Amino acid sequence: EQSHPTRSGQVFSDLQLPNSMHPLEGFPLSETLVLPRSFGTMYLGETFSAHLCLCNESPSVVRDISVQVVMQTSTQQLQLFSDSSKHLASGQPLNIQVAHEIKELGAHVLGCSVHYLSAQGERRVLQKSFKFQVANPLVVKTKVNHLGRDVLLEVQVHNATQGTMALERLRFEASSPFTAEDLNTAADGAALWDSSAGFMQAGDVRQYLYRLRTHIDPEQVTVDQERAVQYATALGKLDILWRGSFGSFGRLQTSQLLRKSPGMFLLEIESAEVLGKTAALEEPFVVRALVRNVSERRMAVSATVHAHTHPMVISCGAAQ
């Protein structure tokens, strides 16, 4: 947000301004506020704000003023301000403030258009444009590790801006059937981004860890529940809040973080135990295994002991 001084060095206000020594007779709406063609780069998730000032520097009243301010992106045009039927007396300013949350990458153009009726009764148009680029402030990479039905999600956050940022919040919003457990705490229990570790210089990388759990009772899990967990690919979204230079605010939410589904075996051995808890050397013993059919069709199952993997165990009975 910028304030543009007048010739006297004072910032425009709603007070009446004296006429200049040499008013622009043929162009009563002055160009005191001159927008640069381009000012650099903003970042996705930040808020663009601008203060626009329109001043009548002619000795006459300017009537029927219509002002429109739009933001043009590569995909859409958004109207930020629209007003009409304004009159400006000689030396009177019109102050306009606009703001827009940046949600797209690429080139953006702030367009200002003013229509008015001159003292000679002619319709005139004043147009200005202000171009800037929007870049991605953060690069997020993930790594997935499976712990049974649970998932360990490693998140790597890279500061891709040209300045320092302070992370104020990282919140993982898990997708069904998962719930997220935040493992990013210091020894005193405080969140890591709520300390000096939350400050990231340009190019810095921070790593964070989340455990995604499912609230499924292993003793009562159904095949449908197991299939829903094992074939779920969407893990959730990461919501990031940060502060930039001069306390500027930014918020970014990633797209859905995905994993490669681990899938399921057609059969799963849920438990195996030796009856009697112990087995004596060269004495027969009984092993009981619980096998679950997690496929979508009926299956005929037989069990054998492989001599090459268990050479010291000899099968002496049929499986039941």
Side-chain angles (χ1 to χ4, degrees):
E1 186 171 328
Q2 299 176 341
S3 298
H4 297 266
T6 63
R7 293 187 182 89
S8 63
Q10 301 297 319
V11 175
F12 279 142
S13 67
D14 291 327
L15 299 177
Q16 292 283 338
L17 297 179
N19 292 334
S20 63
M21 296 298 295
H22 303 287
L24 302 178
E25 299 272 353
F27 202 70
L29 294 179
S30 77
E31 297 185 66
T32 301
L33 174 61
V34 179
L35 298 176
R37 290 296 178 184
S38 178
F39 78 97
T41 301
M42 289 197 67
Y43 295 99
L44 198 68
E46 292 183 331
T47 298
F48 172 87
S49 59
H51 184 109
L52 312 175
C53 185
L54 193 66
C55 184
N56 178 11
E57 292 192 350
S58 74
S60 306
V61 176
V62 178
R63 303 181 182 276
D64 298 334
I65 300 174
S66 175
V67 182
Q68 284 194 348
V69 182
V70 299
M71 182 68 74
Q72 178 73 51
T73 71
S74 58
T75 62
Q76 59 183 331
Q77 179 174 290
L78 302 171
Q79 183 170 279
L80 305 184
F81 180 85
S82 179
D83 198 6
S84 58
S85 300
K86 291 284 187 182
H87 304 300
L88 289 181
S90 178
Q92 181 182 1
L94 173 63
N95 291 287
I96 301 169
Q97 290 184 336
V98 296
H100 171 66
E101 184 180 353
I102 304 297
K103 297 181 179 180
E104 294 184 39
L105 297 171
H108 285 57
V109 179
L110 179 71
C112 307
S113 177
V114 181
H115 295 73
Y116 62 95
L117 192 66
S118 69
Q120 293 77 27
E122 299 177 350
R123 296 296 300 178
R124 295 190 178 181
V125 179
L126 171 64
Q127 292 181 324
K128 288 290 181 180
S129 63
F130 182 41
K131 186 176 181 180
F132 60 95
Q133 293 289 330
V134 174
N136 209 335
L138 299 167
V139 177
V140 178
K141 297 181 180 181
T142 60
K143 181 180 179 181
V144 175
N145 300 280
H146 296 100
L147 295 175
R149 296 184 181 91
D150 294 351
V151 176
L152 272 181
L153 178 64
E154 299 179 43
V155 178
Q156 187 181 86
V157 179
H158 171 218
N159 179 7
T161 71
Q162 299 301 312
T164 303
M165 65 168 56
L167 298 180
E168 287 200 353
R169 185 187 71 204
L170 272 84
R171 183 177 62 199
F172 188 79
E173 300 173 356
S175 297
S176 179
F178 300 106
T179 57
E181 179 187 357
D182 193 338
L183 303 180
N184 306 293
T185 54
D188 58 358
L192 287 180
W193 53 84
D194 199 21
S195 62
S196 59
F199 286 91
M200 298 176 63
Q201 302 291 336
D204 280 359
V205 177
R206 297 287 186 272
Q207 288 184 303
Y208 302 96
L209 186 64
Y210 299 89
R211 182 166 185 166
L212 309 185
R213 300 179 181 272
T214 59
H215 294 289
I216 297 178
D217 187 348
E219 300 296 330
Q220 300 179 0
V221 61
T222 65
V223 173
D224 289 338
Q225 289 176 324
E226 187 73 25
R227 187 177 292 112
V229 172
Q230 296 298 335
Y231 285 102
T233 57
L235 299 178
K237 298 179 180 180
L238 189 64
D239 190 75
I240 306 173
L241 186 69
W242 76 89
R243 296 275 180 180
S245 58
F246 301 102
S248 60
F249 170 83
R251 178 177 179 268
L252 188 66
Q253 187 177 74
T254 67
S255 57
Q256 192 71 245
L257 301 180
L258 304 176
R259 67 166 179 173
K260 185 178 180 181
S261 169
M264 297 172 63
F265 293 105
L266 298 180
L267 294 175
E268 288 192 352
I269 300 178
E270 293 196 349
S271 64
E273 60 178 342
V274 176
L275 297 185
K277 305 301 182 182
T278 60
L281 188 63
E282 297 183 355
E283 291 289 338
F285 62 92
V286 178
V287 175
R288 181 172 63 189
L290 178 60
V291 180
R292 179 185 291 271
N293 178 8
V294 293
S295 71
E296 298 180 351
R297 62 183 183 274
R298 191 178 180 88
M299 300 184 70
V301 180
S302 63
T304 59
V305 177
H306 294 280
H308 65 282
T309 57
H310 302 284
M312 304 303 293
V313 178
I314 301 174
S315 176
C316 57
Q320 298 181 356

